[in-house]
Amino acid sequence: MSAAETVKFVLTEADLPTHWYNLAADLPTLPPPPIHPGTGEPVGPADLEPVFPMELILQEVSRERWIAIPGPVLDVYRLWRPTPLFRARRLERVLGTPARIYYKYEGVSPAGSHKPNTAVAQAYYNKQAGVKRLTTETGAGQWGSSLAMACAFFGMELKVYMVRASYLQKPYRRILMETWGAQCVPSPSPDTASGRRFYEQDPEHPGSLGIAISEAVEDAASRADTKYSLGSVLNHVLLHQTVIGLEALRQFELAGDYPDVIFGCVGGGSNFAGLTFPFVRDKLQGKDVRIVAVEPAACPSLTRGVYTYDFGDTARTTPLLKMHTLGHTFIPARIHAGGLRYHGMAPLVSHLYEHGLIEAIALPQTKVFEGAVLFARAEGIIPAPESAHAVRAAIDEARRCAETGEEKAILIGLSGHGHFDLAAYEAYLAGKLEDYEYPEEAVRQALAELPKVSG
Amino acid sequence: MSAAETVKFVLTEADLPTHWYNLAADLPTLPPPPIHPGTGEPVGPADLEPVFPMELILQEVSRERWIAIPGPVLDVYRLWRPTPLFRARRLERVLGTPARIYYKYEGVSPAGSHKPNTAVAQAYYNKQAGVKRLTTETGAGQWGSSLAMACAFFGMELKVYMVRASYLQKPYRRILMETWGAQCVPSPSPDTASGRRFYEQDPEHPGSLGIAISEAVEDAASRADTKYSLGSVLNHVLLHQTVIGLEALRQFELAGDYPDVIFGCVGGGSNFAGLTFPFVRDKLQGKDVRIVAVEPAACPSLTRGVYTYDFGDTARTTPLLKMHTLGHTFIPARIHAGGLRYHGMAPLVSHLYEHGLIEAIALPQTKVFEGAVLFARAEGIIPAPESAHAVRAAIDEARRCAETGEEKAILIGLSGHGHFDLAAYEAYLAGKLEDYEYPEEAVRQALAELPKVSG
């Protein structure tokens, strides 16, 4: 090992972004608006008021390029931000590649992922609006635990509906939520009408993000003191995540480099958007950069889904969103990357994909974990199963560079650590990790249940 | 919540210490030397050569004040060092205290604790000496996982003997070791003569650090390609940890403050020593600072042990160390702070305690977890059960300040996060955490088996 393999680009607090970047300001065309399923008309602020505070609704439709981050939100960000950008020289050496590999690491937050970037903002705006209690859904638990931490900071109550497959597979994330003071129940639960529909058929129902969203929205809509908080998909959530990419841009300036290709994992799309939207802005201005979304083969909404209007949840309670979807009734296999088990894709990310501004690939989970272990042994950090999708795609790219001799700069969005996912690593190391075929028939059935809407 | 509660003191890489601080250079009297149990004479370098490389043996007996940190070790340190010092304003607000509470956070390392500070150094010196394979023991697994990571960086094999109680209680730390490529077996194991003694009596024997050390030493001594690595107690281990306190001193300069009282948890003593020895140096030069070691009530070597020569391990294979001990045959209760389940105390820490340079207190685990949850909800970070001992003691001190109005500056050594200890949090939150009486009779029996040595 040589004497200077660690190359870390650290920003000071003075470099912490003071504004979020809103891609809508720079897009030549906007994504089609959400539609009210009853009227077929675009939804307005009044339709969203029962579940969201007005400040977030305004951010959802804003076309301002820069939106100021409130002081109390910045103050919490400072606990772990700016996050580091690393040059992965040890990984490069192991791969024998001429590529320069970088990773932007969001696992330094107390919750261990990028999710607090929006959790803190959402808790703050709700608190300002006088809301006492929030509800939400969570898959792997990264989102639920992040919102639990944010609610602890702002003194708010929280009830989390956690996809039962993950609730059973990842007890540590539930305990994390409880340690921060939140209530966490497995979904489908008997606590809501949307949950009972599934729970009464099968109390062991593995659940899905779609069902959990239905439960959390129903709970919020039925109580005056409560609003709902979503961890991905919506424009305002993606907006809050752009601190990641804004910091990364400054760090690449420090490095005197610029990525040729960026890999980010996609479930609902917020981590990917947060990292890449500031680079999409550069691309719109002529910069040559490939931006690749990496999704699980078991839930490939971009690469195998249909671009159409669909519900965000299983019980059809949300507005219709124009997005790449596998159908709101599709229940993905129980892959360990629980945060990527969502039937749809953020409308903004879908729009970019449709217009050729980003690419997408899908990977099976054994390949993903093989990459994660290789990364962990080279760089020390244990990637979250979700982030490991981006890691594996980057490793494949770096290996291609080793064959062609291309000296590409590759950026990985390392959105979180895998400390609460070690059962998945154990299964991989024991050779017990399953891959899942593309669920062609299940997707066909789900797509047959898409709502009929023109647009 | 006010607009500026996050106060973080961040050093740049240029501020990373280039030397470790050796307290032996400044002590008016040195601790009595280790003694060979057969001859009753002080052990020399030749006695230690079968298990340690010469560079570490020389550090063990060095009286140089500053020992240069090798470039490749610094290079790995830079992955997460310098670590942050935080002002815990949110916790101060919750406690309504006029005290200023600070915490130095070592959980930012990929292994999640301070242990890599010495693991990386030890792996490096062994690698330089041509050693191919290391063995070690681990309690909670913080040490074993840290050494596993260090061995991955330097391309070395590692076998970890893990105290069975922790092996069963904390499967995630085992998986962590395996992910980094190490082999991990529960101790007592059938793989060594020292282990078989206990294993054959009871294959479910909960084990102890003392037994696990015996196994790892025996394994190393019996193979030419293998040496042994210890995670605490010895002088060179404490030395490597002083980067913590050296950074903290600079950070207090940045803060324009200085601690009136420092709390660190103690098991073998290395985290406590690493944080406090640079402050002990100040104290020897007249500075007024209280330094308090916090140990578990179930294993109180400083507050209830005897200061005498004892074996470091259960099978009586190590040299005799002059230390505070509960007796090398004492098996502590299965508290969740597995890293604090050691019968003895580092000779240097024992020496300071004997000479009144440091104080010690013991806390039961329910009080400790109560403090940890309060800290987590205020500051976000989930403390390791070990570190939570220091957290709880600091909270008690801050509450006393709230009564007296004293504006003390309190420093907590937050040696690691509790991501792999959430089962303990779950037990606490469910009201199922047990406290253990001081094991008076077991300690009396163990003390009756102390070796007879003058000195």
Side-chain angles (χ1 to χ4, degrees), chain B residues 198-418:
Chain B
F198 298 94
Y199 180 82
E200 286 170 2
Q201 283 168 26
D202 176 9
E204 303 301 314
H205 193 294
S208 71
L209 275 173
I211 298 171
I213 292 172
S214 301
E215 294 207 80
V217 170
E218 179 188 328
D219 180 332
S222 67
R223 282 181 58 165
D225 64 348
T226 300
K227 295 225 182 278
Y228 165 70
S229 179
L230 186 68
S232 191
V233 179
L234 298 180
N235 300 345
H236 69 272
V237 182
L238 276 52
L239 173 79
H240 301 153
Q241 293 295 352
T242 57
V243 286
I244 306 171
L246 293 170
E247 287 179 5
L249 270 175
R250 293 200 203 189
Q251 286 162 315
F252 270 99
E253 277 174 38
L254 284 181
D257 206 345
Y258 193 91
D260 294 297
V261 51
I262 306 175
F263 294 100
C265 64
V266 280
S270 76
N271 149 66
F272 175 81
L275 175 67
T276 66
F277 280 7
F279 292 92
V280 171
R281 182 183 186 216
D282 285 358
K283 187 165 182 162
L284 289 167
Q285 293 169 356
K287 195 90 181 179
D288 185 20
V289 50
R290 283 179 58 209
I291 299 175
V292 185
V294 190
E295 57 186 15
C299 191
S301 58
L302 281 177
T303 54
R304 306 293 290 259
V306 175
Y307 184 51
T308 185
Y309 272 104
D310 194 9
F311 289 100
D313 70 328
T314 307
R316 301 169 160 246
T317 58
T318 70
L320 295 170
L321 302 172
K322 183 81 180 267
M323 59 182 177
H324 288 83
T325 179
L326 299 165
H328 62 275
T329 59
F330 174 66
I331 308 278
R334 300 184 201 195
I335 54 168
H336 284 278
L340 308 185
R341 293 176 75 248
Y342 185 59
H343 67 274
M345 181 53 61
L348 270 170
V349 174
S350 293
H351 183 72
L352 296 182
Y353 186 59
E354 199 60 19
H355 287 74
L357 284 160
I358 62 169
E359 304 164 39
I361 58 174
L363 292 176
Q365 69 175 355
T366 51
K367 281 192 66 163
V368 165
F369 276 90
E370 186 188 41
V373 169
L374 198 151
F375 184 91
R377 291 183 184 175
E379 295 292 323
I381 295 166
I382 312 281
E386 293 81 7
S387 325
H389 285 72
V391 168
R392 177 59 201 241
I395 287 172
D396 289 346
E397 182 78 18
R399 282 179 171 149
R400 280 189 293 273
C401 290
E403 284 167 22
T404 62
E406 286 175 290
E407 297 179 359
K408 286 187 187 170
I410 300 171
L411 171 58
I412 300 169
L414 194 66
S415 54
H417 62 61

Side-chain angles (χ1 to χ4, degrees), chain A residues 52 60 114-115 118-119 122 136-138 143 209 213 228-241 265-274 312 321 323 339-340 342 344-347 349:
Chain A
F52 295 121
E60 189 65 21
H114 64 292
K115 292 287 189 187
T118 185
Q122 292 190 47
T136 197
E137 75 293 332
T138 198
W143 167 242
L209 275 171
I213 293 171
Y228 165 70
S229 179
L230 186 68
S232 191
V233 179
L234 297 180
N235 300 345
H236 68 272
V237 182
L238 277 52
L239 173 78
H240 301 153
Q241 294 294 353
C265 65
V266 280
S270 76
N271 149 67
F272 176 80
L321 301 171
M323 60 182 177
L340 307 185
Y342 185 60
M345 181 52 61
V349 173

Side-chain angles (χ1 to χ4, degrees), chain A residues 249-319:
Chain A
L249 270 176
R250 293 200 202 188
Q251 286 162 315
F252 270 99
E253 278 174 35
L254 285 181
D257 207 344
Y258 193 91
D260 294 298
V261 51
I262 306 175
F263 294 99
C265 65
V266 280
S270 76
N271 149 67
F272 176 80
L275 175 66
T276 65
F277 280 8
F279 292 91
V280 171
R281 184 184 185 215
D282 285 359
K283 186 165 183 160
L284 289 167
Q285 292 168 358
K287 195 92 181 176
D288 185 20
V289 49
R290 282 181 58 210
I291 299 175
V292 185
V294 190
E295 57 186 13
C299 191
S301 57
L302 280 177
T303 54
R304 305 293 291 256
V306 176
Y307 185 50
T308 185
Y309 272 103
D310 194 8
F311 289 100
D313 71 329
T314 307
R316 301 169 161 245
T317 57
T318 70

Side-chain angles (χ1 to χ4, degrees), chain A residues 179-191:
Chain A
T179 299
W180 279 316
Q183 185 194 356
C184 178
V185 295
S187 166
S189 81
D191 302 357

Side-chain angles (χ1 to χ4, degrees), chain A residues 5 33 50 64 74 93 95 116 125 139 145 152 183 195 204 211 221 254 289 313 320 357 371-372 375 384 396 403 416:
Chain A
E5 291 205 309
E64 289 295 314
L74 278 176
R93 173 167 49 83
L95 297 174
Y125 286 117
S145 55
Q183 185 194 356
E204 304 301 316
I211 298 172
L254 285 181
V289 49
D313 71 329
L320 295 170
L357 284 159
F375 183 91
D396 289 345
E403 285 168 22

Side-chain angles (χ1 to χ4, degrees), chain A residues 83-96:
Chain A
T83 65
L85 177 79
F86 290 93
R87 170 88 181 265
R89 278 193 191 271
R90 294 178 177 84
L91 180 62
E92 292 169 18
R93 173 167 49 83
V94 170
L95 297 174

